[in-house]
Amino acid sequence: GLQAYVAMRNDLGYVLVKDIERLRGGVRAVALYNPSDTVCRFSVPLHCLELGGKVRVRDLIRHKMEPAVSDSLCYTLAPHSVRIFRLEGARRLDGPGKYEGEWSYLPCFNDLGRAKGVCYDSCPAASGGMVIRYLGGSPENYAEWDDVYSSEGGSYELTVYYVPGKYRKLELSVNGERYDAGKLATEGTMSSVKVVVRLRPGNNVIRMGSSYCWAPDIDCFTLTKQF
């Protein structure tokens, strides 16, 4: 019953991934989807799929094994086509390193025509082509990622990528502990802010928002282990 999510956009296509057999196991289902009118060339780094080492590849539509890979999954797809694979890695990595805004849960999301309600919206400058827009303005209007995984926990540098704007503030918390994002940029196409946070072993909950004013439009965030 797990929903697949868009791990990345490649050329004009989409890479979707989900766990199968067991959560956080070494086996994942991956779909390469080309909805465009032109040929799409996919080159998907395995770390974006959270798999490491030698990875076995089985084509689930053609019912046959493909050559194993250890760096990237590379295929060329015709217009309006899809390929679906079962990938079995030698090891499961902690996480993708980058978490897109469109992966988050928005408790105040309302798709019934409410004006300026928090939503996922198109943004060509964003890494996945989308941002979280109209975030903040009240404590309950936040974005939450509840499966940010770390096998060992510890100190991480969290970098938030956002669209600058005037009178914006970003409140950030990890497992209920608040961190100060500091002063944000007010001009430009895209900017970023870095905060050192602490993760616990296992799944972590990261929230972003702003209690009393708009938060910036969120593109994504990355996590880098501090040594």
Side-chain angles (χ1 to χ4, degrees), residues 181-200:
K183 187 175 181 180
L184 303 179
T186 59
E187 297 181 349
T189 303
M190 191 68 65
S191 190
S192 64
V193 60
K194 298 179 184 294
V195 182
V196 176
V197 302
R198 188 159 192 86
L199 301 185
R200 63 192 179 198

Side-chain angles (χ1 to χ4, degrees), residues 4-116:
Y5 63 91
V6 178
M8 62 179 290
R9 293 184 65 178
N10 201 151
D11 198 1
L12 296 175
Y14 297 85
V15 181
L16 296 100
V17 64
K18 63 174 287 183
D19 284 345
I20 53 176
E21 299 188 7
R22 70 183 181 91
L23 284 173
R24 297 220 51 83
V27 180
R28 310 200 80 191
V30 175
L32 308 181
Y33 171 49
N34 178 14
S36 73
D37 295 329
T38 61
V39 168
C40 183
R41 294 173 177 82
F42 289 86
S43 180
V44 186
L46 292 179
H47 69 82
C48 292
L49 305 175
E50 300 180 34
L51 295 175
K54 189 176 182 179
V55 176
R56 299 175 64 193
V57 181
R58 181 172 178 79
D59 190 311
L60 295 179
I61 296 177
R62 294 172 172 83
H63 302 289
K64 68 174 186 177
M65 297 300 296
E66 296 280 317
V69 295
S70 57
D71 184 25
S72 298
L73 191 67
C74 299
Y75 286 91
T76 299
L77 268 67
H80 305 286
S81 66
V82 63
R83 295 194 69 172
I84 304 175
F85 303 97
R86 176 189 186 273
L87 268 58
E88 183 174 358
R91 64 182 186 276
R92 180 66 180 262
L93 305 181
D94 263 12
K98 178 170 69 175
Y99 293 81
E100 297 289 353
E102 52 268 33
W103 299 356
S104 67
Y105 165 62
L106 305 176
C108 289
F109 178 78
N110 183 344
D111 200 25
L112 298 177
R114 176 184 171 192
K116 293 190 176 180

Side-chain angles (χ1 to χ4, degrees), residues 5 24 50 94-96 99 103 144-150 202-206:
Y5 63 91
R24 297 220 51 83
E50 300 180 34
D94 263 12
Y99 293 81
W103 299 356
E144 179 179 281
W145 297 257
D146 64 358
D147 56 355
V148 179
Y149 187 83
S150 172
N203 281 335
N204 294 263
V205 178
I206 293 180

Side-chain angles (χ1 to χ4, degrees), residues 157-173:
E157 182 179 74
L158 188 154
T159 304
V160 183
Y161 294 86
Y162 64 93
V163 178
K166 292 184 178 180
Y167 314 116
R168 304 296 175 100
K169 183 179 179 180
L170 180 63
E171 296 173 357
L172 171 69
S173 71

